[in-house]
Amino acid sequence: MKDELERLVRIPSVAGPDVFLSAKMTAELFEEAGAAEVEIASVPGGAPAVIATFPGPVGKPTVLLYAHHDVQPAGDGWDSPPFEPVERDGRLYGRGTADDKGGIVVHLAALRAFDGKPPVGVTVFVEGEEETGSPTLAAFLDRYRDRLAADVVVLADGDNWDVGQPALTVGLRGVVDCVVELRTLATNVHSGSFGGVAPDALTAMVRLLASLHDDEGLVTIGGTGGRTDVVIPEERFRAESGMLDGVRTIGRGSVADRLWNQVALTVLAIDSPKVDEAANALQASARAKISVRVPPGFVFDDVFSALHKHIMDHIPWGAHVTIERGESAQPYALETTGVAYDAAREAFETAWEVPPVEIGSGGSLPMVAAFAEAFPDAAVLITGVADPRSNPHAPNESVDLGDLDKACLAETLLLSELARRT
Ligand SMILES: [Zn+2]
C-alpha cells in the first residue's frame, strides 16, 4: 500500500483546492477497489468528504470505516520535503503518512483483500476537515445519516502503543479553555511613584496562576477518574516529551493515570509587555489563557465551575476579574464489550502477534463524540497507524511500513471476524 500512500502524501491537502484534489484521489482509489457507489460530498461551508459504499451479504452487519484526507500545515524543521515521501530505515516520511492518509490506505487494503466484496457491509467515510476541528461533521452526519448508518464504526485516526504493538484507544480526555483578565489600575503608572502600595495586575495574575497547582504540581481543582493497568515507564515518557535532565514530573499517581484519568491544567499564554520593551511601570491589566484537560468520568461543566470558583476565591488584592470560556470538547469513554471489541481483539492479536493494549488518550478527538451521538447503538473502535515516533502535527511525520502492513491485515481480519461472529 506504500504506492497509494505516497500518491496521497504528494497532495498538500492542508486547505483550498488541494483538499478537493485529495478527495478526488481518495474517491478514485475506492472506486478502483470496487465500490458500488462513490460520492464526493459536503454540507454548506464544509470541506469535501468521500463516501464509498460496499454492500455486504444480506443479514450481515454494516461497518463504517473512517479516516481523514486533510493534513496539518507542513511547518518548519523537516529533514526532507514534507510533501515528497521518502523512505528511511523502514519508515515512510511525509506530512499525512500517519495522520491520517495511512488510515485511508488501511481501509483501502482491507477492501482490496476482499476484491471489493467484503463479508460485511462496508461504508468508507473519509473526511476533509478534521485538522480544522471538523466544523461541519455533526451537520454532515445528520444530512447523510442513512448513507453512513452502521453497526460498527472504526475510526482509524488513533495511536498504537509502540512499533510492533497495536492499541485500541478506549478513553479520551476532553478539553476546555478560558481567558482570565485581571485589572488593578485605571492605566499603567510609574513604579517608582506608586510601586509598593498599588498592586500591578501582572503580579496579581502570577499569584493567581500559581494557586492552580500545589507544590507537587497537582491541580488544585483536580481529581482522579478511572484507573488503568497500563504502565508507561517514566523514562519512556521523559524521552517522548523531551523533559530536560533534573526536571521532575508533576502530579501524583502513575504516569498513565496522570495522562489519561486526571485533570491537567496548563497556562497556555500570558499577555504582558515583552522583556526587551519593559518600562518601569505597574501594569494596569493582565490576561492569561488557561487550558484544562478533562478525563472521562468527569462532568465537564462541573470542572469548569470548579475552575471558575477557584479563580473567584483566589483573586489577589481585590483585583477586578473577567473570565471568558473558550472552546471545548467533551471527554469520552468507549464501551469496550461486545462482538465488535471481541472481534477486534482477536483480529489484532492475529495480525500483530501480540494482543492490543487498551490505552487512554490525553488528547481529545471531537469526532468520537459526534459519531457516538449520531449512531448511539453502534460500537465505536479507535484504531490507527501512528506510533510514538510518528510526530503527527510536527516535523518529520512518519509511519512504520511494517506496522502499516500489520494494520492493513488487522482490519481485513476484523471484517472477517465480524462476519463470522454475526
Ligand atoms: Zn488525524
Side-chain angles (χ1 to χ4, degrees), residues 182-184 197-208 314-320:
L182 294 184
R183 281 162 291 115
T184 55
V197 181
D200 71 276
L202 187 53
T203 304
M205 179 63 82
V206 169
R207 291 184 69 88
L208 171 64
H314 290 78
I315 299 164
W317 311 318
H320 295 192

Side-chain angles (χ1 to χ4, degrees), residues 10 27 99 163 182 217 228 244 300 324 380:
R10 285 196 186 99
D99 183 16
V163 174
L182 294 184
T228 177
L244 300 180
F300 196 66
E324 226 175 277
V380 178

Side-chain angles (χ1 to χ4, degrees), residues 66 68 70 98-100 130-131 156-158 365 367 392-393:
Y66 166 94
H68 62 88
D70 61 317
D99 183 16
D100 184 30
E130 197 278 336
E131 299 296 358
D157 194 22
L365 285 173
M367 108 259 305
H393 299 206

Side-chain angles (χ1 to χ4, degrees), residues 104-267:
I104 300 175
V105 301
V106 167
H107 300 330
L108 188 64
L111 288 157
R112 281 191 186 170
F114 298 109
D115 236 348
K117 294 178 186 60
V120 290
V122 172
T123 308
V124 178
F125 169 42
V126 184
E127 193 194 356
E129 55 181 36
E130 197 278 336
E131 299 296 358
T132 45
S134 304
T136 68
L137 178 60
F140 192 97
L141 294 180
D142 195 44
R143 164 94 164 70
Y144 292 95
R145 182 177 303 272
D146 295 344
R147 295 273 304 276
L148 298 174
D151 305 289
V152 180
V153 176
V154 179
L155 304 172
D157 194 22
D159 296 325
N160 285 315
W161 178 242
D162 212 339
V163 174
Q165 259 212 311
L168 289 165
T169 304
V170 300
L172 301 141
R173 282 200 295 204
V175 64
V176 61
D177 60 44
C178 73
V179 172
V180 180
E181 179 164 12
L182 294 184
R183 281 162 291 115
T184 55
L185 297 157
T187 58
N188 294 357
V189 292
H190 196 286
S191 61
S193 307
F194 302 101
V197 181
D200 71 276
L202 187 53
T203 304
M205 179 63 82
V206 169
R207 291 184 69 88
L208 171 64
L209 297 177
S211 72
L212 293 165
H213 293 87
D214 70 9
D215 289 345
E216 240 182 299
L218 200 68
V219 181
T220 39
I221 58 153
T224 301
R227 284 209 165 277
T228 177
D229 294 332
V230 176
V231 175
I232 302 176
E234 190 172 318
E235 302 74 64
R236 168 176 163 166
F237 178 83
R238 296 185 75 90
E240 282 175 17
S241 64
M243 281 179 66
L244 300 180
D245 286 345
V247 174
R248 293 190 294 275
T249 62
I250 57 172
R252 226 170 287 150
S254 77
V255 172
D257 278 332
R258 278 181 275 172
L259 272 183
W260 302 337
N261 295 323
Q262 293 185 18
V263 172
L265 185 148
T266 307
V267 178

Side-chain angles (χ1 to χ4, degrees), residues 360-417:
S361 170
S364 58
L365 285 173
M367 108 259 305
V368 179
F371 279 100
E373 202 163 294
F375 308 116
D377 298 328
V380 178
L381 298 158
I382 304 175
T383 66
V385 298
D387 64 64
R389 289 170 58 194
S390 286
N391 285 357
H393 299 206
N396 300 318
E397 178 176 346
S398 67
V399 71
D400 182 279
L401 288 167
D403 278 9
L404 184 66
D405 281 348
K406 289 180 186 132
C408 292
L409 177 59
E411 192 162 290
T412 307
L413 294 172
L414 170 61
L415 299 182
S416 298
E417 270 302 311

